[in-house]
Amino acid sequence: MKLGIVGLPNVGKSTLFNSLTKAGAESANYPFCTIDPNVGVVTVPDKRLDVLGEMYHTKKIIPAVIEFVDIAGLVKGASKGEGLGNQFLANIREVDAIVHVVRCFENTNIVHVDGSIDPMRDIETINLELIFSDLEVLERRMSKTVKLSRNDKTAAKELAFQERLKAHLEDNKLAKTFKTEDEDEAAWLAEYNLLTAKPVIFAANVSEDDLADDGALNEGVQAVREYAEKEECEVFVVCAEIEEEISQLDDDEKAMFLEDLGLKESGLEKLIRASYHLLGLISYLTAGEPEVRAWTIKKGTKAPQAAGKIHSDFERGFIRAEVVSYDDLIACGSHNAAKEKGLIRLEGKDYVVQDGDIILFRFNV
């Protein structure tokens, strides 16, 4: 999974990126200190892997990973070359979802590029820049389609689709709210990789004081939540400064620190939960002495396609899957005990993989 982090300058974007990835991206109190995109990979916390590692006396534990891409802060006119221009938006065209960091805290020591704290204005600014960037991409596509459409019915149909989509974007509407009329249009929309067609998770960045009650009394956070619900986006409350402190601690210290703050989970854990929910993702597991590993798949994936995540040969030569649920395995205490109780099932190509399934694939190529 790949997530792109966007936001205005000085909203805590790079601070949050640092804390999530411990990558040490530069963050300072002036706009555009992030010049090149920062990329960091983090592992997805999953306690099930450690439990299985002990049960199977595993040599290696491999969790699922998320890649974060942090780009320069965007300002009004970024798509026209203001600030550092929109060349950096190209760096997040390939991501699965966008994490939009919104400033919901007051701090006179940290300047706001527009001079005041207004989360909804900031969201609108970023949305418009993403729309303008998408229009630029679309117009380039249209110039090619126009030539082809003179002698090609499919290209003529695509051009008509592009014209409707362009009018939608020019009306300051996001691509994800555009209604496609058939499978061709849905495929074209996906192919264009438009930024405003991507799912969005809002990170409402608050002060430490607003963290304990999850921003319940912060008007900015409430406004972001209302907007996110309307737009079918995810939202989580985070204090980037606190996250940066947490990222320096070991697991035991982190647990104590979170408890002192009255928190059940870190911002990273909130973000991972939100992103899995938004993108409809689950993890299945493979376990044995050589390694225990988590594999991320879409909810609803059938066994052969899940096998293909490991290797294309597994999907091509799929015979069956030997499946046991994590809860059943742990309740029995061992693989053999689960087998004796008949809890290890043989599933065929129509089996829909569930979160926490521990699977051994049988295949022949």
Side-chain angles (χ1 to χ4, degrees):
M1 178 164 48
K2 196 171 180 180
L3 303 177
I5 303 179
V6 303
L8 292 169
N10 294 353
V11 296
K13 195 167 51 62
S14 292
T15 303
L16 182 62
F17 173 83
N18 284 343
S19 63
L20 295 176
T21 64
K22 301 183 188 175
E26 186 180 358
S27 64
N29 181 22
Y30 56 93
F32 315 120
C33 67
T34 310
I35 294 178
D36 295 319
N38 293 302
V39 179
V41 176
V42 302
T43 58
V44 175
D46 193 335
K47 291 170 184 169
R48 298 176 298 192
L49 297 177
D50 296 322
V51 176
L52 291 173
E54 285 187 24
M55 181 182 284
Y56 285 89
H57 308 293
T58 299
K59 293 186 175 75
K60 191 162 57 171
I61 291 176
I62 305 174
V65 296
I66 296 179
E67 185 176 313
F68 289 101
V69 184
D70 174 36
I71 63 166
L74 301 171
V75 291
K76 270 182 194 164
S79 56
K80 304 294 180 202
E82 291 295 321
L84 289 172
N86 75 348
Q87 66 268 38
F88 299 103
L89 290 172
N91 293 304
I92 57 167
R93 284 214 175 268
E94 303 305 317
V95 301
D96 299 300
I98 288 172
V99 180
H100 183 164
V101 184
V102 186
R103 180 171 167 178
C104 298
F105 67 89
E106 297 279 354
N107 188 329
T108 52
N109 296 320
I110 301 176
V111 295
H112 189 290
V113 72
D114 286 332
S116 62
I117 307 303
D118 185 341
M120 296 317 299
R121 177 202 57 209
D122 296 352
I123 287 172
E124 188 180 343
T125 298
I126 296 294
N127 281 349
L128 285 174
E129 293 312 315
L130 299 182
I131 286 169
F132 295 150
S133 180
D134 281 349
L135 276 167
E136 201 177 288
V137 167
L138 185 60
E139 282 161 3
R140 284 202 299 270
R141 296 287 300 232
M142 288 177 77
S143 65
K144 292 177 185 172
T145 314
V146 167
K147 293 171 188 169
L148 295 171
S149 66
R150 294 175 191 130
N151 303 305
D152 186 320
K153 282 185 179 177
T154 304
K157 180 184 174 183
E158 185 175 3
L159 182 61
F161 161 74
Q162 289 172 338
E163 284 167 349
R164 282 178 25 242
L165 178 56
K166 183 173 182 241
H168 181 86
L169 293 170
E170 285 176 338
D171 203 19
N172 293 340
K173 292 175 183 171
L174 306 178
K176 66 181 178 180
T177 64
F178 182 79
K179 297 284 187 286
T180 54
E181 293 180 355
D182 57 29
E183 286 181 6
D184 286 342
E185 291 193 353
W188 288 326
L189 186 59
E191 184 191 325
Y192 300 165
N193 227 351
L194 300 179
L195 292 170
T196 63
K198 295 184 184 296
V200 175
I201 302 162
F202 289 103
N205 190 12
V206 300
S207 66
E208 183 181 339
D209 293 342
D210 283 330
L211 202 53
D213 66 358
D214 208 33
L217 301 178
N218 183 307
E219 288 180 11
V221 171
Q222 294 314 310
V224 174
R225 280 190 171 129
E226 285 169 21
Y227 177 81
E229 188 177 354
K230 191 175 68 182
E231 297 293 325
E232 297 181 354
C233 303
E234 290 284 323
V235 60
F236 72 102
V237 172
V238 66
C239 174
E241 282 190 343
I242 292 291
E243 287 301 311
E244 198 158 38
E245 287 182 47
I246 290 172
S247 70
Q248 311 301 321
L249 305 174
D250 63 32
D251 288 345
D252 290 340
E253 290 173 325
K254 185 174 105 173
M256 286 171 61
F257 189 72
L258 288 170
E259 195 177 328
D260 288 345
L261 290 169
L263 301 175
K264 291 178 181 172
E265 57 186 350
S266 68
L268 175 60
E269 288 162 326
K270 284 183 185 177
L271 174 53
I272 288 170
R273 191 158 42 79
S275 53
Y276 268 64
H277 183 253
L278 184 69
L279 296 169
L281 301 175
I282 59 170
S283 292
Y284 77 86
L285 314 166
T286 52
E289 193 181 339
E291 69 174 39
V292 165
R293 186 164 183 165
W295 303 87
T296 305
I297 56 170
K298 281 265 189 192
K299 206 177 284 184
T301 300
K302 291 185 177 178
Q305 289 70 49
K309 288 288 285 186
I310 300 174
H311 197 284
S312 56
D313 283 352
F314 282 34
E315 181 175 355
R316 196 156 49 92
F318 178 87
I319 300 170
R320 63 180 180 271
E322 196 176 285
V323 184
V324 59
S325 81
Y326 173 81
D327 290 340
D328 284 346
L329 181 66
I330 299 310
C332 291
S334 74
H335 188 88
N336 286 339
K339 198 168 190 176
E340 284 169 17
K341 289 188 177 180
L343 294 171
I344 294 177
R345 316 179 307 276
L346 292 178
E347 299 286 1
K349 62 183 180 184
D350 291 327
Y351 176 68
V352 176
V353 175
Q354 303 299 308
D355 185 61
D357 275 351
I358 298 157
I359 307 181
L360 174 65
F361 292 106
R362 305 287 183 193
F363 72 103
N364 182 33
V365 176

